[in-house]
Amino acid sequence: MSEEIQKLDRRYKDWRGVVVHVVGFDRAGDRVIFMRAGYPHECAQPVELFKSRFERVMIDEQ
């Protein structure tokens, strides 16, 4: 990750109930970067789209 990306370690659940691991926030690109289980590459979505499709999950809720 570049220096412009704030590292994060959070879990969110998508609109289908699948938990993803949020690993960063790209301020310059205004996007959330996350990893899906079983998928080797980082995924990214604009912040507004991410907010509308994902909800935060606390570790004990997984």
Side-chain angles (χ1 to χ4, degrees), residues 6-25:
Q6 175 186 354
K7 290 185 181 181
L8 298 172
D9 182 17
R10 298 181 183 161
R11 301 289 190 270
Y12 281 77
K13 190 183 306 182
D14 72 10
W15 64 98
R16 297 167 298 181
V18 177
V19 176
V20 300
H21 180 202
V22 173
V23 295
F25 170 62

Side-chain angles (χ1 to χ4, degrees), residues 1-58:
M1 278 190 238
S2 77
E3 293 177 20
E4 297 175 4
I5 297 174
Q6 175 186 354
K7 290 185 181 181
L8 298 172
D9 182 17
R10 298 181 183 161
R11 301 289 190 270
Y12 281 77
K13 190 183 306 182
D14 72 10
W15 64 98
R16 297 167 298 181
V18 177
V19 176
V20 300
H21 180 202
V22 173
V23 295
F25 170 62
D26 176 7
R27 288 189 190 280
D30 196 34
R31 60 192 182 126
V32 176
I33 301 164
F34 58 96
M35 300 293 296
R36 290 191 175 276
Y39 188 70
H41 305 287
E42 293 178 341
C43 302
Q45 285 192 356
V47 172
E48 289 306 315
L49 182 59
F50 188 87
K51 284 181 178 180
S52 71
R53 292 186 171 182
F54 292 79
E55 66 180 58
R56 181 104 185 248
V57 175
M58 297 320 223

